Amino acid sequence: MRNSLAIISLAPVLIAQALYVRRVTPRLPEPLGERSGEHGSGPPLKLLIAGDSAAAGVGVSRQSEALSGQLVRALGQNFRVSWKLIARTGHRSKDVLAMLEEIPPEKLDVVVTSIGVNDVTHGTGRQTWIARQEKIIRLLLSKFDSPHVILSGIPPMHLFPALPQPLRWYLGSRAKHFNHALEQSVQGCSRCTFVSIDFPLETTYMADDGFHPGTRAYSFWAKHLAGIITAKIESR
């Protein structure tokens, strides 16, 4: 109740700050490089990475430095990875769902998603976001017959240096609530794993825009995911 009243009273400030941040924050391009391929040696592993600008690697100059490149390299130490990246800057949960509905079905071993920051910033309701996430999960488990769906949590937006206070507090609070709801939602799904992405948001971990991950953050994220994926595949 107190939070709701605080948000209502701060609404003019939050709107003004959001417009200011949108105007002054540099719009970084998606990195250059391959978005599919094969890498490594060992048992075959078919991997799909889907989602928003963080999945797409915004914040670094090449895909080799982004989540896809670093995750594939890490997994390639134990597997022959056949991988594909389907992600776009600005995509919300509804856009990722539409994108996944359009591509042809195929058998996958692991799907990694990164969905939520744009839903948080564009005012998507938490229940609506969860409903869309659940649709995405059902689609991944059926259309792509994926035994493992790894859902990356929304990063700690309350620490993003590009966001001024109180906007940083407000968006960070929404992100925390979204993450908690998603973690609760997938508890009964044996093939789903919610993964909290708590990389240190020091300056050296962030991109120049103060909003997206940098090379070190992508490395931290990729290694964390690779450890989880490897353990799940080897336990089959």
Side-chain angles (χ1 to χ4, degrees):
M1 182 66 177
R2 288 183 178 179
N3 271 2
S4 298
L5 292 174
I7 290 167
I8 291 171
S9 66
L10 288 171
V13 176
L14 296 174
I15 292 170
Q17 287 187 334
L19 292 172
Y20 172 78
V21 169
R22 189 170 297 179
R23 186 173 67 251
V24 303
T25 301
R27 296 183 64 86
L28 302 179
E30 294 183 4
L32 301 173
E34 297 297 324
R35 290 188 172 228
S36 63
E38 291 191 359
H39 177 77
S41 60
L45 175 67
K46 296 195 72 173
L47 169 71
L48 172 67
I49 303 167
D52 53 20
S53 58
V58 171
V60 295
S61 59
R62 299 198 62 81
Q63 287 293 344
S64 60
E65 303 171 312
L67 176 64
S68 63
Q70 300 209 52
L71 178 56
V72 168
R73 281 200 303 277
L75 290 172
Q77 297 176 26
N78 298 297
F79 305 98
R80 180 64 180 173
V81 185
S82 176
W83 65 278
K84 184 183 300 182
L85 170 65
I86 302 176
R88 287 289 181 273
T89 298
H91 270 192
R92 288 177 256 176
S93 52
K94 64 177 183 180
D95 304 308
V96 177
L97 177 60
M99 183 171 56
L100 291 170
E101 288 174 336
E102 291 175 359
I103 64 175
E106 63 176 312
K107 175 70 174 70
L108 299 171
D109 296 302
V110 180
V111 180
V112 172
T113 68
S114 170
I115 309 165
V117 169
N118 297 307
D119 288 279
V120 168
T121 60
H122 285 76
T124 303
R126 183 171 51 186
Q127 290 184 342
T128 299
W129 184 70
I130 289 296
R132 289 172 180 163
Q133 287 274 24
E134 289 175 347
K135 285 183 179 179
I136 289 169
I137 291 167
R138 288 195 296 270
L139 183 67
L140 293 173
L141 295 178
S142 58
K143 181 177 180 178
F144 303 102
D145 193 24
S146 176
H148 299 296
V149 177
I150 312 296
L151 302 130
S152 298
I154 303 170
M157 297 181 70
H158 64 287
L159 298 176
F160 279 14
L163 301 174
Q165 295 288 16
L167 181 64
R168 187 188 301 183
W169 161 80
Y170 170 65
L171 295 179
S173 178
R174 274 175 56 80
K176 289 178 183 178
H177 289 145
F178 275 41
N179 279 340
H180 179 72
L182 182 58
E183 187 173 14
Q184 293 293 113
S185 174
V186 301
Q187 280 187 348
C189 176
S190 61
R191 293 192 282 167
C192 302
T193 303
F194 172 84
V195 178
S196 180
I197 307 300
D198 294 325
F199 51 75
L201 285 180
E202 303 168 6
T203 304
T204 55
Y205 278 78
M206 298 296 292
D208 292 341
D209 63 355
F211 194 86
H212 286 94
T215 303
R216 292 186 69 189
Y218 281 125
S219 176
F220 180 96
W221 186 4
K223 289 176 182 177
H224 187 43
L225 291 178
I228 293 170
I229 293 169
T230 299
K232 288 189 172 295
I233 296 296
E234 291 182 344
S235 68
R236 287 196 304 193

